[in-house]
């Protein structure tokens, strides 16, 4: 059985699809599994020993230079790789027109959600086979159920197994126990006030953990430096996804917004608290084996007291 998983972005979505690899391996130990993913996040499936090959699509870069000869050459090379051998199942776990179009470039039947289940109903027009999956499930459960429906094994009901382990990274913390603070997010609606982050950092410091403030863009770096200055924390340099995963593995716990690095920390097994200011945790809450919690929701910005209570509860449990 040759399977191509299509889950291109964003980081949190790619992390949420990882348990599908474990499920397939449990049901079909000899399956050959490949993954099509945005190049920025290709390190995530590459960290999974159950993924045989990763194909990187640089659509975020290509779409800015769509009339460039180099862009069309690169897209053509990717299509060639996707058609080198035929897949028994091209599984679009994303449910977007974009992901369905890329899935159609591969040699093999494209399978995905039905129109009522897909994030974009138009994507279902491109699928050879469709399956209904409730939209009110957590993103991880939706991925796992869709894979089971199309690959013919029972829908899994056990805990999600992410199965990733980063290798050695390029940057080491200065030493001593630490906690990752992740105040960066893709949209301003998700941001939590800096003063509250500083207060959390001070509480972490009082617990004997050094705050490590994570960032990904220049704007986020400025915010991270202000927060770190307010709580005697540390700010790492810019790190790619693999090196950030290796850095997170050096910490003892994580507190972050609803963002990719928070979901990655939880998938790596860190006790993780997710702060939700513009999304429902029931649909994409923090999931992981290390003791996790999510607080807040759509239009329900968590208070400082809410988060500090979880910090204290996490300390007691650990």
């Amino acid at each position: 059985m040759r399977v191509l998983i299509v889950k291109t972005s964003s980081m949190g979505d790619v992390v949420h699809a990882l348990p599908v690899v474990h499920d397939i391996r449990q049901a079909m130990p000899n399956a050959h599994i490949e993954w099509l993913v945005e190049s920025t996040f290709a390190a995530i499936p590459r960290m999974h020993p159950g993924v045989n090959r990763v194909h990187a699509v640089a659509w975020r870069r290509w779409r800015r230079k769509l009339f460039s000869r180099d862009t069309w050459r690169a897209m053509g090379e990717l299509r060639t790789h996707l058609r080198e051998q035929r897949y028994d199942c091209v599984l679009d776990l994303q449910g977007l027109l974009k992901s369905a179009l890329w899935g159609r470039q591969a040699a093999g039947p494209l399978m995905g959600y039905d129109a009522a289940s897909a994030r974009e109903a138009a994507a279902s027009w491109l699928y050879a086979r469709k399956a209904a999956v409730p939209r009110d499930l957590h993103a991880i459960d939706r991925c796992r159920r869709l894979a089971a429906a199309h690959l013919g094994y029972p829908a899994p009901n056990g805990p999600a197994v992410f199965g990733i382990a980063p290798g050695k990274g390029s940057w080491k913390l200065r030493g001593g126990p630490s906690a990752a603070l992740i105040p960066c997010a893709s949209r301003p609606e998700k941001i939590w006030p800096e003063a509250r982050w500083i207060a959390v950092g001070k509480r972490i410091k009082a617990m004997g953990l050094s705050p490590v403030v994570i960032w990904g863009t220049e704007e986020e770096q400025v915010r991270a430096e202000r927060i770190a200055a307010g709580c005697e924390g540390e700010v790492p340099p810019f790190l790619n996804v693999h090196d950030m995963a290796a850095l997170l593995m050096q910490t003892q716990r994580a507190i972050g917004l609803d963002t990719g690095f928070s979901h990655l920390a939880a998938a790596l097994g860190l006790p993780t608290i997710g702060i939700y200011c513009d999304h429902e945790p029931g649909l994409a809450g923090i999931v992981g084996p290390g003791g996790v919690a999510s607080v807040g929701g759509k239009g329900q910005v968590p208070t400082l007291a809410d988060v500090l209570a979880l910090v204290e509860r996490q300390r007691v449990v650990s």
Side-chain angles (χ1 to χ4, degrees):
M1 173 69 74
R2 296 180 61 87
V3 179
L4 174 66
I5 293 172
V6 180
K7 190 71 164 182
T8 60
S9 61
S10 289
M11 189 191 305
D13 294 328
V14 175
V15 171
H16 288 158
L18 287 170
V20 168
V21 178
H22 177 266
D23 293 345
I24 295 174
R25 288 281 174 221
Q26 290 294 105
M28 297 175 286
N30 296 321
H32 179 93
I33 302 173
E34 301 185 14
W35 195 308
L36 178 64
V37 63
E38 183 70 34
S39 57
T40 308
F41 312 121
I44 297 173
R46 284 181 180 139
M47 284 188 268
H48 200 304
V51 177
N52 299 100
R53 184 180 183 184
V54 174
H55 301 275
V57 53
W59 178 244
R60 292 185 173 186
R61 183 173 74 248
W62 293 341
R63 67 186 179 186
R64 295 196 296 267
K65 299 180 179 179
L66 202 53
F67 299 103
S68 165
R69 183 176 299 177
D70 290 341
T71 295
W72 283 93
R73 183 183 299 113
M75 290 194 294
E77 290 175 354
L78 174 60
R79 187 174 187 272
T80 298
H81 291 318
L82 293 174
R83 304 187 72 82
E84 287 174 348
Q85 296 189 54
R86 185 170 179 82
Y87 299 100
D88 297 290
C89 173
V90 180
L91 184 62
D92 181 11
L93 296 179
Q94 199 143 8
L96 298 176
L97 187 58
K98 173 189 69 173
S99 58
L101 287 169
W102 278 112
R104 285 289 293 266
Q105 306 311 305
L110 181 62
M111 307 180 193
Y113 299 97
D114 68 7
S117 308
R119 290 166 62 186
E120 293 179 354
S124 68
W125 302 343
L126 301 176
Y127 299 141
R129 283 177 49 190
K130 309 167 190 177
V133 178
R135 293 178 63 93
D136 59 353
L137 296 176
H138 191 285
I140 293 174
D141 296 325
R142 278 172 50 82
C143 289
R144 298 178 76 190
R145 288 204 188 187
L146 186 70
H150 284 307
L151 294 175
Y153 55 82
N157 54 17
V161 177
F162 294 89
I164 54 173
K168 185 178 180 181
S170 64
W171 198 74
K172 290 185 178 181
L173 296 174
R174 291 185 299 210
S178 59
L181 302 186
I182 309 171
C184 49
S186 57
R187 301 196 314 271
E189 295 85 1
K190 293 185 174 184
I191 298 299
W192 202 52
E194 286 183 27
R196 299 181 190 179
W197 280 111
I198 292 172
V200 170
K202 289 180 177 179
R203 179 65 61 87
I204 288 293
K205 191 80 172 179
M207 293 166 52
L209 297 172
S210 176
V212 180
V213 191
I214 304 301
W215 61 279
T217 67
E218 290 183 3
E219 180 182 351
E220 292 168 355
Q221 181 184 15
V222 173
R223 185 184 304 123
E225 289 173 346
R226 288 197 298 261
I227 293 170
C231 61
E232 301 180 61
E234 183 176 359
V235 179
F238 176 80
L239 299 173
N240 60 32
V241 172
H242 176 271
D243 287 340
M244 184 60 74
L247 168 64
L248 289 169
M249 287 296 290
Q250 299 177 54
T251 67
Q252 278 61 56
R253 64 187 62 193
I255 305 165
L257 297 178
D258 171 25
T259 191
F261 287 138
S262 302
H263 295 290
L264 181 59
L268 291 168
L270 291 178
T272 305
I273 296 170
I275 300 173
Y276 286 71
C277 301
D278 190 54
H279 199 58
E280 289 302 323
L283 300 177
I286 299 294
V287 175
V292 300
S294 300
V295 60
K298 186 75 172 179
Q300 302 176 38
V301 178
T303 66
L304 175 60
D306 292 333
V307 176
L308 290 180
L310 287 177
V311 170
E312 292 297 328
R313 188 184 310 166
Q314 198 177 68
R315 177 172 66 168
V316 172
V317 172
S318 61

